[in-house]
């Protein structure tokens, strides 16, 4: 039976400082948008248009791609970090999340949670518990927003899903892999493989798992150290970069 509990102070401090999570009461009165508003096409289009103006973006397509890249970092990344490292389930439902922007409204600073109640799973139920977290993160929130953003900004879903895949891979391969001890590392590796390869498409709101095509073993350099996994699609960051440079893993930069 799942039971509610709270983060330890050190755990919450880590999520706040590294991923921008806040409690709603701590930012009430700031410029906040409840995330489920973005599930309505009209409201989503208005929001992306506003971001485009404030960011001086060349197009809504570029804005939409970079928005999803950042939004995945603020939602999926802390949710999966808490799941794999703390064995804790954050309430990441769209109606529990408020998007916080900076003073100019041009940059996403973090996510404020209306409810901080958590769930952890008994060891025998963990696989089902993990399945439910993946479904909440994607099919009921981030994946649903991907669908709306794709239609609204005319950006291919593959670009948006690869933006998310990059964030998930970075979380597990760089941050968690370097932090966890032996027991925790195996659990996080199992979670990572499940999210990227084993979870069925229905948990993402898609026919098939949309992350699998973007996952492959990291290529190794001659010295045996991992190198960069090249993307299949371009996220369009070079369109807003001051030096117009491509990302290190961009397929356009590799031509």
């Amino acid at each position: 039976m799942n039971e509610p509990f709270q983060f330890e102070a050190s755990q919450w401090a880590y999520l706040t400082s590294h991923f921008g999570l806040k409690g709603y009461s701590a930012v009430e009165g700031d410029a906040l948008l409840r995330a489920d508003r973005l599930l309505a096409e009209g409201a989503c289009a208005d929001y992306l248009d506003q971001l485009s103006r404030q960011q001086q973006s060349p197009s809504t397509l570029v804005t939409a791609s970079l928005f999803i890249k950042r939004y995945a970092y603020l939602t999926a990344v802390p949710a999966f970090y808490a799941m794999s490292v703390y064995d804790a389930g954050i309430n990441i439902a769209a109606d529990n999340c408020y998007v916080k922007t900076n003073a100019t409204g041009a940059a996403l600073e973090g996510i404020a949670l209306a409810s901080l109640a958590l769930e952890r799973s008994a060891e025998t139920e963990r696989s089902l518990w993990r399945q439910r977290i993946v479904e909440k993160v994607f099919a009921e929130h981030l994946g649903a927003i991907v669908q709306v953003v794709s239609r609204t900004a005319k950006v291919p879903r593959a670009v948006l899903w690869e933006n998310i895949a990059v964030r998930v891979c970075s979380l597990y391969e760089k941050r968690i892999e370097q932090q966890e001890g032996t027991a925790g590392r195996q659990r996080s590796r199992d979670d990572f493989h499940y999210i990227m390869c084993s979870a069925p498409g229905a948990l993402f709101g898609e026919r098939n798992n949309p992350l699998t095509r973007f996952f492959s073993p990291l290529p190794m350099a001659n010295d045996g150290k991992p190198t960069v996994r090249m993307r299949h699609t371009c996220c369009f960051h070079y369109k807003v970069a001051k030096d117009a440079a491509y990302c290190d893993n961009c397929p356009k930069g590799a031509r």
Side-chain angles (χ1 to χ4, degrees), residues 74-87:
L74 298 175
T75 55
V77 168
F80 291 145
Y81 185 92
M83 178 184 78
S84 294
V85 177
Y86 301 144
D87 214 25

Side-chain angles (χ1 to χ4, degrees), residues 80-81 83-87 126 130 171-194:
F80 291 145
Y81 185 92
M83 178 184 78
S84 294
V85 177
Y86 301 144
D87 214 25
R126 193 174 190 280
R130 178 180 62 188
L171 168 68
Y172 281 97
E173 292 175 337
K174 296 179 181 179
R175 187 183 296 268
I176 295 179
E177 181 72 14
Q178 295 174 7
Q179 289 179 343
E180 286 294 90
T182 303
R185 188 178 293 120
Q186 185 57 54
R187 182 176 68 189
S188 69
R189 287 175 178 173
D190 290 343
D191 290 346
F192 182 36
H193 184 270
Y194 179 77

Side-chain angles (χ1 to χ4, degrees), residues 35 196 214 238:
M196 298 300 296
F214 304 118
Y238 76 94

Side-chain angles (χ1 to χ4, degrees), residues 66 69 228 230-231 234-238 241 244-254:
L66 299 182
K69 199 172 185 180
V228 174
M230 296 302 295
R231 288 183 60 123
C234 174
C235 72
F236 307 114
H237 180 265
Y238 76 94
Y246 296 114
C247 301
D248 291 341
N249 60 344
C250 182
K252 291 185 176 181

Side-chain angles (χ1 to χ4, degrees), residues 119-176:
E119 285 188 347
R120 60 184 170 189
S121 173
E123 199 65 35
T124 55
E125 297 178 347
R126 193 174 190 280
S127 62
L128 294 176
W129 173 81
R130 178 180 62 188
Q131 175 182 308
R132 182 60 182 144
I133 289 176
V134 173
E135 184 176 39
K136 287 180 178 179
V137 170
F138 290 125
E140 298 179 10
H141 189 168
L142 185 53
I145 289 179
V146 162
Q147 299 277 354
V148 177
V149 167
S150 176
R151 291 194 300 269
T152 300
K154 304 297 188 292
V155 54
R157 290 208 309 276
V159 172
L160 304 182
W161 279 115
E162 187 162 24
N163 288 349
I164 296 168
V166 167
R167 293 303 196 192
V168 175
C169 287
S170 179
L171 168 68
Y172 281 97
E173 292 175 337
K174 296 179 181 179
R175 187 183 296 268
I176 295 179

